[in-house]
Amino acid sequence: MEDLSKTMQKLMSQQHLNDNYRQLMAKVYDDPEVNKFYQANKDELAEDVMTRSAAKLYEFVSEREKLAKGGETFATGYAPQLIVSNHLIDVAYVPTADTLEKQAQQQLRQRVKSIAMPKSIREATLANFDQDTDRAEALMAALDFVDAYEANPKRRHQALYLAGSFGVGKTYLLAAVANQLATDGFSTTLVHFPSFAVEMKNAIAQNGVAEKLDALKKSPVLMIDDIGADAMSAWVRDDVLGVILEYRMQEELPTFFSSNFSMAQLEKEHLRISTRGDDEPLKAQRLMQRIRFLAREITMVGVNRRPQ
Ligand code: ADP
Ligand code: MG
């Protein structure tokens, strides 16, 4: 395009206005959009603007036509727009509706950070959550949370602890809440806890523990998926999970959980016994207190929805 402008300018400066050029420009000067723009901004424009800005006007009309035909424009994803610049007419490139939509989608995706979660969580929506009677309570509680949180994100909101057997849709519901919050402008981190625990152990060697821990501690909304699915070491329980929950409790940051265990089972069958086999009821109790402060238990029952 730069080249074209230069060529046009050269043509004009030579005052060598041959027939071809006149034909070309007649179309530009007849263009309804060009005329409308000229009329609307006449007061600000130089008297000889139509000749001095001829190259820009030509650029505008030809790029607009290329775009309308579905061709590649000078700036992909952007459409030409006339603007006033220094008493002359210039062309600015603004994102097309398509581009804006893509950018919005991208921003939305960035609001849901996921750690070791399946890609399919992107598709989960509250609207598509099947409302059989078994799961209505969980859906209602999720909708209530979204409403309350969005109305007042700085206040304390108790989140949900979704308990239920494999395949009832716990992860799906968490993801649907995260996606809804993202649509409305709020960020969430969803973490598959057993995988995260492994990542944390590996991070020790690379000195990356604090950084990884911080991301979870400080996420505006945190969802800890599948807690209790794998045996936890005392270190993961106390120095990872315990630290995250302590911080979130103090800062009153919403924290969801999902588990195949009920809260009572999680305490007695999971948190109490470390991988070394030590029985530590007090540590388990302290952790459960934090979990109970952060979330309320909802039991989800129903069929296994996983494709068999
Ligand atoms: P859980 O986390 O309880 O084990 P998931 O959330 O992974 O269960 O759900 C199991 C499967 O069923 C997944 O493939 C999920 O996409 C699908 N699923 C769950 N709930 C719904 C729903 N309400 N509508 C459509 N698909 C669902
Ligand atoms: Mg799950």
Side-chain angles (χ1 to χ4, degrees):
M1 213 55 245
E2 196 50 41
D3 287 342
L4 178 66
S5 298
K6 280 205 190 105
T7 319
M8 295 297 294
Q9 245 137 24
K10 213 182 283 167
L11 268 172
M12 283 184 301
S13 65
Q14 287 165 348
Q15 296 287 311
H16 181 71
L17 308 181
N18 63 26
D19 276 355
N20 261 343
Y21 173 75
R22 269 199 201 92
Q23 251 174 19
L24 213 66
M25 290 315 290
K27 188 172 142 200
V28 171
Y29 293 140
D30 277 349
D31 188 84
E33 232 180 305
V34 168
N35 278 294
K36 210 171 126 201
F37 182 84
Y38 175 73
Q39 291 302 332
N41 298 283
K42 213 162 38 181
D43 295 348
E44 276 184 75
L45 293 168
E47 254 173 48
D48 54 352
V49 64
M50 292 310 244
T51 15
R52 284 171 69 195
S53 295
K56 289 295 176 182
L57 292 170
Y58 179 77
E59 174 184 334
F60 170 76
V61 173
S62 59
E63 289 296 298
R64 191 195 58 200
E65 275 179 2
K66 265 196 243 164
L67 192 70
K69 283 188 199 137
E72 282 285 302
T73 57
F74 156 68
T76 312
Y78 288 73
Q81 192 179 61
L82 295 174
I83 55 165
V84 178
S85 165
N86 233 344
H87 306 292
L88 295 177
I89 297 174
D90 201 350
V91 183
Y93 287 84
V94 294
T96 59
D98 256 14
T99 305
L100 288 174
E101 168 66 21
K102 269 192 210 130
Q103 286 170 348
Q105 279 295 328
Q106 210 173 7
Q107 275 185 348
L108 201 138
R109 290 220 188 291
Q110 281 166 358
R111 287 193 200 112
V112 181
K113 293 177 193 71
S114 68
I115 301 172
M117 299 292 294
K119 275 223 174 72
S120 58
I121 63 161
R122 284 185 182 174
E123 318 305 330
T125 61
L126 289 169
N128 289 339
F129 188 78
D130 302 339
Q131 289 198 45
D132 41 33
T133 43
D134 285 344
R135 302 183 314 156
E137 188 195 356
L139 178 60
M140 289 307 147
L143 292 168
D144 283 348
F145 173 87
V146 171
D147 282 351
Y149 178 73
E150 290 183 352
N152 209 335
K154 296 249 173 340
R155 275 254 294 278
R156 177 187 168 215
H157 299 282
Q158 207 183 20
L160 310 177
Y161 178 108
L162 302 176
S165 58
F166 187 77
V168 289
K170 302 181 296 294
T171 300
Y172 186 95
L173 185 55
L174 291 183
V177 169
N179 291 335
Q180 183 61 50
L181 292 175
T183 306
D184 302 329
F186 301 96
S187 297
T188 299
T189 303
L190 258 154
V191 57
H192 182 249
F193 196 74
S195 312
F196 178 73
V198 174
E199 265 186 42
M200 286 298 282
K201 275 181 220 151
N202 296 335
I204 299 175
Q206 291 138 31
N207 260 333
V209 170
E211 197 184 319
K212 279 184 189 291
L213 208 58
D214 249 32
L216 295 211
K217 271 161 71 178
K218 295 180 179 164
S219 176
V221 177
L222 177 65
M223 297 177 166
I224 298 182
D225 193 37
D226 247 346
I227 187 171
D230 276 350
M232 238 185 258
S233 68
W235 179 71
V236 168
R237 181 191 60 197
D238 302 330
D239 297 330
V240 176
L241 187 61
V243 167
I244 293 169
L245 299 187
E246 176 67 23
Y247 181 89
R248 300 190 65 82
M249 198 171 111
Q250 267 167 18
E251 299 295 317
E252 304 193 336
L253 295 170
T255 310
F256 288 75
F257 302 84
S258 89
S259 182
N260 289 356
F261 290 122
S262 68
M263 280 186 170
Q265 281 176 317
L266 186 75
E267 178 173 354
K268 295 208 171 57
E269 294 167 31
H270 190 71
L271 297 177
R272 243 177 101 154
I273 318 290
S274 78
T275 38
R276 271 190 294 158
D278 304 327
D279 184 10
E280 299 179 305
L282 284 177
K283 293 213 163 142
Q285 219 176 40
R286 270 193 68 201
L287 212 58
M288 272 326 289
Q289 275 168 358
R290 294 177 191 156
I291 295 175
R292 285 206 170 86
F293 177 89
L294 289 165
R296 115 181 127 87
E297 181 171 18
I298 300 224
T299 307
M300 283 173 79
V301 278
V303 292
N304 180 356
R305 282 163 193 275
R306 292 197 191 206
Q308 303 298 311

